[in-house]
Amino acid sequence: MNDRPPFPPFDEDSARKKVQAAEDAWNTRDPEKVSLAYTEDSVWRNRDRFVTGRAEIVEFLRRKWERELDYALRKELWAYTVDRIAVRFQYECRDADGRFWRSYGNELWEFTPQGLMSRREASINDVEITESQRRIHGPRPAEEHGLEFPVR
C-alpha cells in the first residue's frame, strides 16, 4: 500500500489539497491511476451502485468514461474533520448520441492514516444541457485552483 499525502488529521489547507488532487486525478480519466488513491478494499456507493476494492473501482471507472465522453470535473471542499472530507462537485460530458450533460453531486470521503480513501459515498443528479451551456472544458487551470465554481 502506498502512502498518499496529505495525511489525516486534516486542516483546511491539507483538505483543500486533497480535494484538488482528487479533481486532477479524475480529470486524467485514467482508471488505474485514479484507483491508487483508494485502499485495496475501499467501499463506494456511487448513485445506486456499490463497488468494493480497487479492481471493481477500475472496472467501474473504465465503463463510466466509455459512456461519459469529454468528461471534465470540478470539485470543491465543503467540510472536513480529522479523517473525513465532504465535497461538492460538478462535471460535464457528452454521451454517444451527442447530448451534453452536467452532473451535480456531493461526496463523503473517509481516509486511512496513510491518506488513502477507504470509503466514498456519492449522490449525483444529471441535467441535460446544450453544448453552448458547457462551462467546464478540460482540467482546471492552476490559476483557478481553490476558486469556488458557481452552481449555475
Side-chain angles (χ1 to χ4, degrees):
M1 197 181 314
N2 296 328
D3 289 351
R4 198 63 125 187
F7 306 110
F10 296 115
D11 59 20
E12 185 173 351
D13 183 59
S14 61
R16 287 188 187 284
K17 287 178 180 171
K18 193 63 119 175
V19 172
Q20 188 61 56
E23 177 185 306
D24 293 345
W26 279 63
N27 275 323
T28 68
R29 296 179 291 213
D30 180 338
E32 288 79 13
K33 178 179 181 171
V34 172
S35 75
L36 296 177
Y38 302 92
T39 61
E40 292 285 347
D41 60 351
S42 186
V43 175
W44 285 20
R45 181 189 56 77
N46 194 90
R47 300 176 193 252
D48 61 348
R49 297 276 320 278
F50 295 87
V51 177
T52 302
R54 279 192 188 157
E56 286 186 23
I57 289 169
V58 168
E59 186 55 33
F60 173 87
L61 292 173
R62 183 173 287 120
R63 286 192 313 267
K64 171 185 178 61
W65 290 321
E66 286 172 355
R67 288 186 322 273
E68 295 177 353
L69 307 172
D70 300 327
Y71 174 96
L73 168 72
R74 298 293 183 269
K75 289 184 183 280
E76 291 181 25
L77 176 66
W78 191 256
Y80 65 92
T81 65
V82 171
D83 64 350
R84 293 180 177 172
I85 295 177
V87 174
R88 80 178 184 108
F89 65 89
Q90 297 175 47
Y91 69 84
E92 294 177 350
C93 63
R94 69 176 170 82
D95 63 23
D97 295 325
R99 293 181 307 212
F100 289 87
W101 299 91
R102 182 176 301 130
S103 298
Y104 295 93
N106 303 296
E107 292 177 317
L108 304 174
W109 301 343
E110 186 172 22
F111 294 89
T112 66
Q114 297 76 27
L116 295 169
M117 195 182 304
S118 58
R119 185 175 186 95
R120 174 184 172 269
E121 296 192 23
S123 297
I124 307 166
N125 303 98
D126 304 310
V127 177
E128 189 169 1
I129 60 174
T130 64
E131 184 173 12
S132 66
Q133 291 173 308
R134 288 199 72 182
R135 299 180 290 134
I136 305 172
H137 302 279
R140 185 188 307 238
E143 63 272 12
E144 293 180 12
H145 286 190
L147 298 180
E148 187 171 311
F149 198 77
V151 173
R152 48 178 167 156

